[in-house]
């Protein structure tokens, strides 16, 4: 059993003094109960309530996690929400989720179904898309010769289908592959053909559309990784093919172009106590006819972990992000951002620890902070420090 209660002043401070809800507080109350049953199975129930300015958001439901046998497991949840907004409008609706999984040495399957009605709202949870019915399948089957070099090989499949509650198809995605696993953590998964058929609706998705419009996007991809060398691990992911510009400039509608996406991860084991994880992500989208680049997004991240002693450790995360967009065809604002995060931890044992941290953020904002249709005005190379945070956290576990 668990209860979480919160008194939040931020909503009342965020509105102007003239607002009738200025100074009001929002309260959260969350209750959860769970009971073990049978063998490695549970059933439970949850209730959440947020109150603010005479309005509320309440959700109640039940869930279960059942182990069927050594390989099969099913998880499910059914909830319903009731929401009264501060302007007097009301909405309500159910939400469902069922997940069937099989794990084994050869055949693996995850089959997921989720359903959120148009009126479903959760202010204490994380559901960013309602009015959908969605089914997902992730499956693989491996032949296992278990040789000195070749460990296993076999087909893989990622697939999902999304509809709204009027029966309109929104997205169909299929991504088959052939995976080969070798010794020393070395693998490759080749996807010679993938397909993503996105349907955009007028008004709901884009006001410039006059009918439900299909955006078929065939592509190909590859995944690979290795831990062949003791000093470092390498993993990469790359897909290339058709891609839509979902953030077109004002007055334009999305069009299909060419898109490349890549993710490279390089991990160094510098010593027994130092680990360095380096990530590079890129997304490049250009128009098919004019070959003009709509947007190029770069993310470079380096994470350093030092374990000085069993209790004392330090972590540093450095990240640079840039969004280079063409204002003629893209509504995204060109931004550059550098973030540094430092954390020192003295962990006596889980539950008893001292944390000291600092975070700083640089962004290429114009110092006049002038608004534009796509956000605040940015500069080409000038940065300002728009956020600093220093904190100390102490936690002590009492044992009875």
């Amino acid at each position: 059993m668990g209860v979480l209660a919160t008194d939040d002043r931020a909503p009342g401070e965020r509105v102007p003094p003239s607002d009738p809800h200025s100074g009001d507080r929002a309260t959260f109350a969350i209750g959860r109960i769970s009971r073990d049953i049978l063998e490695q199975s549970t059933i439970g129930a949850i209730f959440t309530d947020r109150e603010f300015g005479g309005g509320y958001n309440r959700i109640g439901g039940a869930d279960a996690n059942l182990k069927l046998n050594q390989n099969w497991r099913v998880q499910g949840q059914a909830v319903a929400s009731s929401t009264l907004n501060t302007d007097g409008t009301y909405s309500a609706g159910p939400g469902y989720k069922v997940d069937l999984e099989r794990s084994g040495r050869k055949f693996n399957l995850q089959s997921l179904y989720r359903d959120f009605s148009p009126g479903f709202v959760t202010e204490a949870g994380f559901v960013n898309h309602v009015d959908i019915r969605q089914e997902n399948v992730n499956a693989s089957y491996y032949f296992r010769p278990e040789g000195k070099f070749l460990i296993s090989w076999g087909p893989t499949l990622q697939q999902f289908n999304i509809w709204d509650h009027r029966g309109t198809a929104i997205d169909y995605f299929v991504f088959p592959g052939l995976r080969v696993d070798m010794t020393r953590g070395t693998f490759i998964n080749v996807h010679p053909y993938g397909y993503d058929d996105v349907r955009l609706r007028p008004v709901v998705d884009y006001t410039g559309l006059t009918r439900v419009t299909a955006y078929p996007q065939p592509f190909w991809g590859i995944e690979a990784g290795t831990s062949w060398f003791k000093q470092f691990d390498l993993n990469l992911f790359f897909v290339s093919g058709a891609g839509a510009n979902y953030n077109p400039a004002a007055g334009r509608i999305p069009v299909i172009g060419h898109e490349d996406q890549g993710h490279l991860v390089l991990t160094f084991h510098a010593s027994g106590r130092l680990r360095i994880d380096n990530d590079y992500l890129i997304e490049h989208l250009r128009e098919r006819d004019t070959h003009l680049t709509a947007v190029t997004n770069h993310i470079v991240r380096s994470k350093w972990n030092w374990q000085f002693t069993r209790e004392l450790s330090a972590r540093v995360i450095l990240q640079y992000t840039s969004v280079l967009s063409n204002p003629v065809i893209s509504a995204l604002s060109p931004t550059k951002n550098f973030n540094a995060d430092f954390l020192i931890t003295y962990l006596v044992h889980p539950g008893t620890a001292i944390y000291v941290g600092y975070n700083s953020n640089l962004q290429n904002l114009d110092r006049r902070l002038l608004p534009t249709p796509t956000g605040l005005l940015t500069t080409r190379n000038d940065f300002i420090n728009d956020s600093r945070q220093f904190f100390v956290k102490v936690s002590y576990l009492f044992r009875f």
Side-chain angles (χ1 to χ4, degrees):
M1 297 175 61
V3 175
L4 175 66
T6 303
D7 179 3
D8 185 6
R9 301 182 183 181
E13 295 177 349
R14 190 175 295 121
V15 298
S18 58
D19 192 285
H21 300 298
S22 176
D24 289 353
R25 298 182 177 186
T27 58
F28 279 95
I30 301 174
R32 166 73 174 159
I33 184 170
S34 178
R35 179 174 179 81
D36 293 339
I37 62 172
L38 305 176
E39 181 183 356
Q40 299 179 29
S41 299
T42 61
I43 56 173
I46 190 169
F47 178 77
T48 73
D49 179 32
R50 180 186 188 267
E51 307 273 343
F52 175 70
Y56 58 80
N57 172 239
R58 298 166 183 163
I59 297 177
D63 59 90
N65 184 344
L66 305 176
K67 181 181 178 180
L68 305 180
N69 58 34
Q70 193 66 27
N71 301 106
W72 290 91
R73 177 177 293 274
V74 62
Q75 303 176 55
Q77 185 177 39
V79 296
S81 74
S82 175
T83 305
L84 177 64
N85 300 306
T86 55
D87 60 3
T89 58
Y90 177 80
S91 66
Y96 307 98
K97 176 184 176 182
V98 179
D99 185 6
L100 177 65
E101 298 183 10
R102 186 193 192 279
S103 58
R105 284 177 49 80
K106 292 186 176 182
F107 177 49
N108 295 274
L109 172 70
Q110 181 187 31
S111 180
L112 174 67
Y113 175 78
R114 55 166 61 95
D115 186 330
F116 294 107
S117 70
F120 183 83
V121 178
T122 171
E123 296 182 0
F126 303 93
V127 176
N128 56 7
H129 195 180
V130 297
D131 190 16
I132 64 167
R133 292 187 171 105
Q134 177 176 351
E135 61 85 12
N136 289 61
V137 171
N138 286 298
S140 61
Y141 188 90
Y142 296 117
F143 301 93
R144 293 187 168 274
E146 303 290 354
K148 293 183 178 180
F149 181 73
L150 177 62
I151 303 299
S152 65
W153 68 275
T156 64
L157 175 67
Q158 301 175 45
Q159 182 270 335
F160 65 78
N161 212 347
I162 305 176
W163 309 265
D164 65 16
H165 280 73
R166 291 171 298 278
T168 303
I170 298 176
D171 197 352
Y172 174 75
F173 176 90
V174 61
F175 196 39
L178 179 65
R179 176 168 173 137
V180 179
D181 285 274
M182 295 158 279
T183 56
R184 299 189 182 183
T186 302
F187 76 93
I188 184 170
N189 195 351
V190 179
H191 306 273
Y193 181 79
Y195 185 74
D196 190 9
D197 186 14
V198 178
R199 306 292 178 94
L200 300 180
R201 299 159 294 178
V203 182
V204 177
D205 298 318
Y206 288 91
T207 56
L209 296 175
T210 58
R211 56 182 175 81
V212 177
T213 305
Y215 289 81
Q217 301 166 53
F219 61 96
W220 64 273
I222 187 171
E223 302 169 78
T226 184
S227 300
W228 194 271
F229 304 98
K230 294 183 179 180
Q231 294 79 10
F232 67 88
D233 305 328
L234 177 66
N235 288 274
L236 65 89
F237 172 79
F238 181 78
V239 293
S240 179
N245 179 12
Y246 296 116
N247 297 282
R252 294 168 59 99
I253 63 172
V255 295
I256 295 180
H258 183 87
E259 184 176 22
D260 298 312
Q261 293 186 31
H263 185 190
L264 177 67
V265 181
L266 183 60
T267 300
F268 290 100
H269 306 279
S271 67
R273 296 181 177 180
L274 174 61
R275 176 189 173 104
I276 306 172
D277 296 296
N278 301 290
D279 289 65
Y280 174 63
L281 297 94
I282 183 172
E283 180 180 3
H284 177 77
L285 177 65
R286 67 176 185 269
E287 287 195 340
R288 177 176 293 171
D289 298 329
T290 64
H291 299 287
L292 293 175
T293 295
V295 63
T296 302
N297 180 208
H298 300 275
I299 300 177
V300 182
R301 179 169 59 241
S302 185
K303 178 180 177 181
W304 298 54
N305 279 285
W306 288 274
Q307 191 71 40
F308 300 108
T309 64
R310 186 179 67 87
E311 298 83 8
L312 183 63
S313 63
R315 186 200 69 194
V316 177
I317 301 177
L318 306 174
Q319 177 168 303
Y320 174 76
T321 304
S322 70
V323 177
L324 309 176
S325 58
N326 185 340
V328 176
I329 55 180
S330 174
L332 295 177
S333 178
T335 60
K336 298 178 182 179
N337 177 277
F338 180 77
N339 187 273
D341 186 272
F342 306 90
L343 179 67
I344 296 176
T345 302
Y346 188 80
L347 181 66
V348 180
H349 53 72
T352 299
I354 300 175
Y355 305 92
V356 180
Y358 176 75
N359 181 274
S360 180
N361 192 76
L362 297 175
Q363 192 164 328
N364 66 325
L365 295 175
D366 187 283
R367 297 180 183 275
R368 296 169 293 175
L369 300 179
L370 300 175
T372 70
T374 58
L376 294 176
L377 181 65
T378 58
T379 64
R380 188 175 183 83
N381 295 308
D382 190 24
F383 290 82
I384 65 171
N385 193 317
D386 63 344
S387 175
R388 296 188 186 94
Q389 183 184 53
F390 174 79
F391 69 90
V392 176
K393 178 182 176 181
V394 180
S395 173
Y396 187 82
L397 176 64
F398 293 90
R399 297 171 183 256
F400 298 94

